[in-house]
Amino acid sequence: MDLFQNNKSSLTFRTSKRLALFKGAFQEPGNDEKEKVPRCVWAILLVCEMKLLDGFIKWWAPDGHKNRDTFRIMRVLKEWTNTTKLFIANVYDGSVDEKNTTIESDSDDDVCSTIMANVRERDADKCVITSQSTSMLCDICPDHLLQELSFHKFWAELYGWWKIETVKRWKQPLFPNFPHIEAVETIQNYISLSPVLRKYWEWGDFVLRPHPDHRERLRELKVQVFWLTLQDHCWSDKICVFSKPPRIRKGTTVKLIGFESEELKDLKSGDWITLTTPDPERLPLPSWDLLEFRFIMTIFARFAGKIVPEEGCNQEK
């Protein structure tokens, strides 16, 4: 992925190559309307792979802004956020009251007991980010994407924006017996986080980026913490394709609501955390490829904003 190759300490989305492609397809003197696209289109154009972006531009350039198919992009977002049937406007926006009611859930009971025990052993029964003694298992690829229906809907749609080799890498730890589409439980799809971080992880408020040079490491893996700014926009809102994405600055912190007992004041965007394992064969680290996958999809969903119009959304009338 080109987002990982150049700068290891910050996130780069609007590269000169992307902007050049945008200009060729969307820029037309005196026609500002041609530069406007739905926010979900703008978001995926920032995070998709260059090879697929180039193909998109060549296909759509003759028609400019007309007849853009946003249905498939929205379907990817709905599948990722698990809102295909349940249309929740604030899936990535917990209210103060919601964030004050985070409790230990019973979802860990749904995980194979052997996997659960192995993850806790690997992570020393502590949060891998804060070393808090109270920790909870968190999946990297959401569980609902391991279902057969999602396999056909979600994973197939990714091929339009990421290379076949990339999507295969993302799927390999979960579907190692392809073409059989039954997902397998693997310790590599889990990470231990504190209760508060688990909620922020699920809401997409923070994400971990695996170190570009640690893909083949077995005993340790560096991951970079990034806090993401909430976007008060809707997927269908129009936006100029040349708009800058929200800045994800190094060194910024977030004010955690209602969890004064958990000290995260020193956890800043850009910080590197090292994940380790005492036994790489029996207790493998979280999958580099799955962490990359979650990183990309979380950024994509956060840039796209909220699902449906509501009070406060900057929707065009």
Side-chain angles (χ1 to χ4, degrees), residues 8-9 129 207-209 222-227 249-253 264-274:
K8 299 174 185 177
S9 61
I129 306 298
V207 69
L208 300 174
R209 180 178 72 153
K222 282 189 175 183
V223 294
Q224 195 172 22
V225 177
F226 283 102
W227 294 106
R249 298 184 180 91
K250 286 186 60 182
T252 56
T253 57
L264 296 177
K265 295 179 181 178
D266 296 331
L267 188 59
K268 301 179 178 65
S269 279
D271 284 353
W272 289 99
I273 307 294
T274 301

Side-chain angles (χ1 to χ4, degrees), residues 151 171-184:
F151 187 92
K171 292 194 303 183
Q172 178 60 29
L174 306 169
F175 303 96
N177 302 316
F178 187 80
H180 299 290
I181 57 176
E182 292 184 3
V184 300

Side-chain angles (χ1 to χ4, degrees), residues 43 54 76 107 113 135 140 151 189 196 204 210 260:
D54 187 42
V76 171
S107 61
S113 59
S135 64
I140 300 172
F151 187 92
N189 191 39
V196 61
E260 293 83 358

Side-chain angles (χ1 to χ4, degrees), residues 1-13 15-17 50 209 212-213:
M1 289 292 294
D2 48 320
L3 298 180
F4 289 81
Q5 301 306 315
N6 297 325
N7 194 327
K8 299 174 185 177
S9 61
S10 62
L11 302 184
T12 302
F13 300 98
T15 63
S16 57
K17 290 182 179 180
M50 286 296 299
R209 180 178 72 153
D213 295 337

Side-chain angles (χ1 to χ4, degrees), residues 193-252:
L193 297 175
S194 68
V196 61
L197 281 184
R198 174 176 176 165
K199 279 302 180 185
Y200 282 95
W201 175 262
E202 291 172 347
W203 282 322
D205 289 324
F206 95 99
V207 69
L208 300 174
R209 180 178 72 153
H211 195 292
D213 295 337
H214 282 207
R215 187 172 168 185
E216 305 298 330
R217 299 209 177 182
L218 300 178
R219 288 193 173 274
E220 66 177 20
L221 169 62
K222 282 189 175 183
V223 294
Q224 195 172 22
V225 177
F226 283 102
W227 294 106
L228 305 180
T229 304
L230 180 67
Q231 300 303 296
D232 193 21
H233 304 278
C234 306
W235 293 354
S236 58
D237 286 352
K238 289 296 184 68
I239 185 174
C240 176
V241 74
F242 301 110
S243 298
K244 294 181 179 180
R247 296 187 64 183
I248 304 176
R249 298 184 180 91
K250 286 186 60 182
T252 56

Side-chain angles (χ1 to χ4, degrees), residues 51-297:
K51 180 179 179 180
L52 280 299
L53 173 61
D54 187 42
F56 175 87
I57 294 298
K58 289 179 179 178
W59 179 261
W60 285 108
D63 292 325
H65 67 290
K66 300 177 182 178
N67 302 319
R68 296 202 191 287
D69 179 11
T70 62
F71 175 74
R72 293 183 178 225
I73 302 173
M74 286 192 177
R75 186 159 65 187
V76 171
L77 283 167
K78 288 179 183 179
E79 290 291 331
W80 171 254
T81 55
N82 200 21
T83 53
T84 303
K85 295 181 179 179
L86 184 61
F87 227 57
I88 305 174
N90 284 333
V91 109
Y92 277 36
D93 179 23
S95 69
V96 172
D97 289 339
E98 287 173 330
K99 290 183 179 180
N100 277 330
T101 57
T102 303
I103 60 175
E104 185 85 20
S105 72
D106 296 327
S107 61
D108 286 348
D109 295 337
D110 298 329
V111 183
C112 171
S113 59
T114 301
I115 294 291
M116 182 170 62
N118 287 343
V119 174
R120 295 195 181 283
E121 181 182 355
R122 181 197 65 195
D123 298 338
D125 208 11
K126 294 181 180 180
C127 172
V128 297
I129 306 298
T130 66
S131 296
Q132 294 277 331
S133 58
T134 302
S135 64
M136 304 173 71
L137 265 66
C138 302
D139 48 30
I140 300 172
C141 174
D143 181 69
H144 66 273
L145 295 181
L146 307 185
Q147 309 305 316
E148 182 175 343
L149 188 60
S150 291
F151 187 92
H152 292 293
K153 285 186 175 181
F154 174 78
W155 295 95
E157 294 294 347
L158 297 184
Y159 289 118
W161 302 101
W162 289 274
K163 292 184 294 187
I164 293 177
E165 296 79 6
T166 299
V167 179
K168 283 183 176 179
R169 283 197 296 104
W170 291 345
K171 292 194 303 183
Q172 178 60 29
L174 306 169
F175 303 96
N177 302 316
F178 187 80
H180 299 290
I181 57 176
E182 292 184 3
V184 300
E185 284 284 6
T186 171
I187 184 177
Q188 292 184 291
N189 191 39
Y190 292 97
I191 191 170
S192 298
L193 297 175
S194 68
V196 61
L197 281 184
R198 174 176 176 165
K199 279 302 180 185
Y200 282 95
W201 175 262
E202 291 172 347
W203 282 322
D205 289 324
F206 95 99
V207 69
L208 300 174
R209 180 178 72 153
H211 195 292
D213 295 337
H214 282 207
R215 187 172 168 185
E216 305 298 330
R217 299 209 177 182
L218 300 178
R219 288 193 173 274
E220 66 177 20
L221 169 62
K222 282 189 175 183
V223 294
Q224 195 172 22
V225 177
F226 283 102
W227 294 106
L228 305 180
T229 304
L230 180 67
Q231 300 303 296
D232 193 21
H233 304 278
C234 306
W235 293 354
S236 58
D237 286 352
K238 289 296 184 68
I239 185 174
C240 176
V241 74
F242 301 110
S243 298
K244 294 181 179 180
R247 296 187 64 183
I248 304 176
R249 298 184 180 91
K250 286 186 60 182
T252 56
T253 57
V254 66
K255 181 180 180 181
L256 302 182
I257 302 175
F259 290 97
E260 293 83 358
S261 59
E262 185 168 342
E263 295 294 333
L264 296 177
K265 295 179 181 178
D266 296 331
L267 188 59
K268 301 179 178 65
S269 279
D271 284 353
W272 289 99
I273 307 294
T274 301
L275 311 182
T276 62
T277 176
D279 188 338
E281 292 188 7
R282 187 173 65 86
L283 305 171
L285 290 165
S287 166
W288 192 100
D289 295 311
L290 289 180
L291 286 170
E292 178 195 54
F293 165 65
R294 187 176 185 106
F295 169 80
I296 294 295
M297 293 306 300

